[in-house]
Amino acid sequence: MRFFPSDYDDDDFDESFDGFQGDVDALASDFESKKREQFSARELIELFRYYTNPSGKGNPFQLDHYAKSVIELGIQTFPYIPVFTLHMVEWLMHENKYKKAHKYIDQALSYNPMDPSLVLMRGVLHGHEGARKLAFDFVNQALEMAGEDEALYEDFLDMVLHFEQYDLAEPISKKALEYDAEIIPVLEKYINRTEEDHIIRMLIPAVEAQIDKDPYMSEAWYLLGLAYHGLDDFEEAIKAFDYAVTINDNFADAWIGLVESRYENENYETVVRDYEDLMKKFPQKSLEAIDGLYAWSLHEVGLSSKSREVYKSILKRFPQDAECWYSLGLTYHHEEQYQVALPYLEKAYQLDPSESDYGIVLASAYFGTSQTEKWKRLYEDLSESFPFEPELWLDWGVALHESGESGEALDVTETGLENNPQSIQLLYRLAALFYLTGNKDMGLMVLEKALEFDPSEYMGMFTFAPELKNSVKILTLIGKFTQGN
């Protein structure tokens, strides 16, 4: 449960604010023991907040019972204060008791027929019921009743987003902007909170409406950048962040967003340039979020020695940063300096064994240093922890095949494919291993199936076993699926 901003509106509570002295534990004790029959409106709101934010105060079911009892008492004692009804409707929506919720709104409207928050809540309720036209009708009605109260529009936007009625945000945002309401902080809260693409897409028009109204609002461009970054549309994110920093060159968060998007877009040279320029503009501490991106970008542009210096400086400040240990080790691993890479990769895996890449690359480094018992044991462990990671089975198969254990590699690859039936790379690998282990007909049969699924991935088979390029049968079969492409 949450509190609407109107929970602490002086106009709603009037003199009832004076009844609360601040000792909420004593207040709860009075309520639970029924020592008092009357509580002020402010006391009831404080009790509701207390019971809905338990922080280990007791049995959750009992706390829920008390919270609901508080709201029921609030409605009975102060039927003219809408916030109690709003919380009750919120509760009933959570229980899918829509008809009962409508009755509470009807009752509250009989006391406050012109209260826009109750009308808006009716729209939210219809939205939860799936009645989209009614939902928009009541939202529009509430907007007509709201007048010129910009704070109320901000509350309305917060309210519909909290109740996950994202498509209702656009008309509220447009109306809010007519009265110069600040919608960007509200939208930012929900864009940052979600990882669902469809939600972000529904909120982008509201951000764009703010930009249309004020093209020079850097915060709005920044939020648009965050939204596109969340959608992995890094080109659009770069454009938006670039506008933000063009408008406000000292907007550190927007610069960081720009660097992050350029990094994800693999613009490593630009990341290096931007970071080094920002070092002249902002304190080191404000750039900590992108230190690692700078370090890896240095490695990508061929400045691995400098990259390692940066990683080591980061680790002096953050010795428990598993990703930093891993990335430092990976810079050596890429250069086949496996022995040098090992301590860094081992430290990363020790700090965070739940990250599959850390273990997979560590096993590969053990293989590179001919520590057979270690890589075999680690691959076994990883196969139990991460059976749905195709890369694990692919790497394990390589290690076994190159160790002369192609039969075991075939078994491992089959197991990996059972766990990851959609992995086209494992299917091509299986075809190669069948062919290499003497079962050429089966190899060609599996290869044909892989080509039917995706003929563009066959080169991975030759990377694994270059000698297969000498097979006329394999090349002929591939040609049937790739000619003209």
Side-chain angles (χ1 to χ4, degrees):
M1 295 292 173
R2 80 185 284 277
F3 278 77
F4 300 113
S6 57
D7 281 351
Y8 298 102
D9 188 330
D10 291 2
D11 293 334
D12 280 344
F13 292 104
D14 300 324
E15 74 282 353
S16 58
F17 265 85
D18 298 332
F20 180 66
Q21 301 302 318
D23 190 347
V24 71
D25 288 308
L27 190 64
S29 177
D30 286 348
F31 181 79
E32 293 166 22
S33 63
K34 300 182 180 179
K35 288 182 179 179
R36 292 166 52 187
E37 294 182 359
Q38 292 185 335
F39 294 85
S40 70
R42 172 61 185 267
E43 286 175 328
L44 290 173
I45 284 295
E46 290 293 341
L47 281 169
F48 184 69
R49 184 179 189 181
Y50 176 84
Y51 289 126
T52 53
N53 296 278
S55 303
K57 296 187 182 82
N59 185 306
F61 296 104
Q62 188 177 39
L63 293 170
D64 282 352
H65 170 73
Y66 286 138
K68 198 168 184 180
S69 297
V70 166
I71 292 304
E72 288 172 342
L73 182 58
I75 292 171
Q76 292 167 13
T77 312
F78 306 99
Y80 52 86
I81 298 182
V83 70
F84 295 110
T85 297
L86 294 174
H87 282 310
M88 178 59 76
V89 173
E90 178 180 17
W91 199 295
L92 293 171
M93 278 197 300
H94 181 71
E95 297 176 345
N96 297 323
K97 296 178 179 177
Y98 302 124
K99 288 184 179 180
K100 192 171 182 180
H102 278 295
K103 290 180 180 178
Y104 274 100
I105 292 178
D106 289 339
Q107 177 183 326
L109 283 170
S110 69
Y111 287 92
N112 296 280
M114 299 303 293
D115 188 288
S117 61
L118 291 169
V119 176
L120 184 71
M121 189 56 126
R122 175 86 80 188
V124 169
L125 187 53
H126 281 303
H128 271 262
E129 292 174 300
R132 305 314 302 168
K133 184 179 183 306
L134 283 172
F136 277 97
D137 286 346
F138 279 101
V139 166
N140 289 327
Q141 184 180 333
L143 292 175
E144 290 175 5
M145 298 166 66
E148 300 181 4
D149 187 347
E150 71 275 7
L152 189 56
Y153 291 120
E154 294 164 13
D155 289 355
F156 279 5
L157 183 58
D158 199 359
M159 184 172 166
V160 297
L161 295 179
H162 171 73
F163 290 116
E164 301 179 354
Q165 300 301 298
Y166 302 104
D167 55 341
L168 302 181
E170 188 172 2
I172 296 173
S173 298
K174 288 181 178 178
K175 189 73 172 179
L177 290 173
E178 291 180 21
Y179 297 100
D180 297 323
E182 295 184 8
I183 67 170
I184 291 301
V186 179
L187 294 169
E188 184 172 355
K189 177 170 66 172
Y190 290 95
I191 287 175
N192 282 333
R193 183 179 295 178
T194 186
E195 295 181 357
E196 299 291 333
D197 286 3
H198 72 282
I199 294 175
I200 296 174
R201 292 186 192 283
M202 282 191 283
L203 296 182
I204 283 177
V207 182
E208 292 175 331
Q210 175 67 78
I211 290 172
D212 289 342
K213 178 178 172 59
D214 183 359
Y216 296 99
M217 181 182 282
S218 58
E219 294 84 0
W221 283 109
Y222 166 69
L223 184 54
L224 187 62
L226 287 181
Y228 279 119
H229 189 95
L231 295 173
D232 293 342
D233 189 343
F234 303 116
E235 288 287 355
E236 290 300 318
I238 289 168
K239 292 177 187 176
F241 285 130
D242 196 31
Y243 275 116
V245 299
T246 299
I247 295 166
N248 180 1
D249 189 50
N250 293 314
F251 196 162
D253 286 344
W255 274 112
I256 288 171
L258 180 59
V259 171
E260 288 174 337
S261 293
R262 283 175 170 164
Y263 176 86
E264 294 294 345
N265 216 35
E266 300 183 0
N267 300 338
Y268 299 118
E269 290 184 2
T270 309
V271 170
V272 170
R273 183 198 66 211
D274 285 349
Y275 183 91
E276 292 177 353
D277 287 344
L278 292 174
M279 284 286 289
K280 303 169 188 175
K281 184 187 296 289
F282 299 109
Q284 167 69 41
K285 190 170 183 62
S286 67
L287 302 177
E288 285 179 350
I290 54 173
D291 284 349
L293 307 188
Y294 171 60
W296 187 258
S297 296
L298 288 168
H299 174 66
E300 289 284 355
V301 301
L303 300 173
S304 297
S305 295
K306 188 173 180 180
S307 168
R308 290 161 190 155
E309 290 175 9
V310 175
Y311 276 127
K312 288 174 182 177
S313 71
I314 297 171
L315 287 171
K316 286 181 180 179
R317 288 175 281 137
F318 304 103
Q320 301 302 305
D321 188 334
E323 185 175 0
C324 193
W325 286 103
Y326 168 72
S327 298
L328 177 54
L330 203 56
T331 65
Y332 291 108
H333 191 278
H334 282 177
E335 296 176 357
E336 298 184 1
Q337 297 185 58
Y338 302 120
Q339 194 64 54
V340 182
L342 269 176
Y344 304 115
L345 298 174
E346 287 175 332
K347 182 66 174 180
Y349 186 61
Q350 174 195 343
L351 287 170
D352 188 4
S354 67
E355 181 59 56
S356 61
D357 286 349
Y358 298 176
I360 292 170
V361 174
L362 176 58
S364 175
Y366 284 142
F367 175 75
T369 53
S370 301
Q371 299 186 58
T372 304
E373 289 187 9
K374 285 189 176 182
W375 66 255
K376 283 190 172 183
R377 183 168 62 251
L378 183 52
Y379 277 128
E380 288 281 0
D381 292 343
L382 294 171
S383 69
E384 294 179 7
S385 300
F386 308 104
F388 307 117
E389 290 288 345
E391 199 65 35
L392 161 64
W393 303 97
L394 289 166
D395 282 11
W396 193 0
V398 168
L400 289 166
H401 174 68
E402 293 188 5
S403 299
E405 302 177 52
S406 297
E408 288 79 357
L410 181 61
D411 292 339
V412 160
T413 304
E414 285 184 311
T415 302
L417 196 57
E418 288 171 5
N419 289 312
N420 302 272
Q422 302 304 314
S423 173
I424 190 67
Q425 293 86 358
L426 281 169
L427 196 58
Y428 275 108
R429 176 66 57 80
L430 186 64
L433 285 166
F434 271 128
Y435 205 88
L436 291 168
T437 54
N439 196 342
K440 295 184 178 181
D441 290 340
M442 181 62 77
L444 291 170
M445 186 184 305
V446 174
L447 175 57
E448 184 172 14
K449 181 65 68 176
L451 289 164
E452 288 174 356
F453 287 148
D454 187 349
S456 68
E457 294 287 337
Y458 72 87
M459 284 302 297
M461 186 172 62
F462 295 144
T463 303
F464 169 69
E467 64 269 29
L468 295 179
K469 289 183 179 180
N470 300 322
S471 169
V472 175
K473 289 183 178 181
I474 287 178
L475 295 177
T476 301
L477 182 56
I478 291 172
K480 290 181 181 179
F481 289 87
T482 58
Q483 282 180 348
N485 294 335

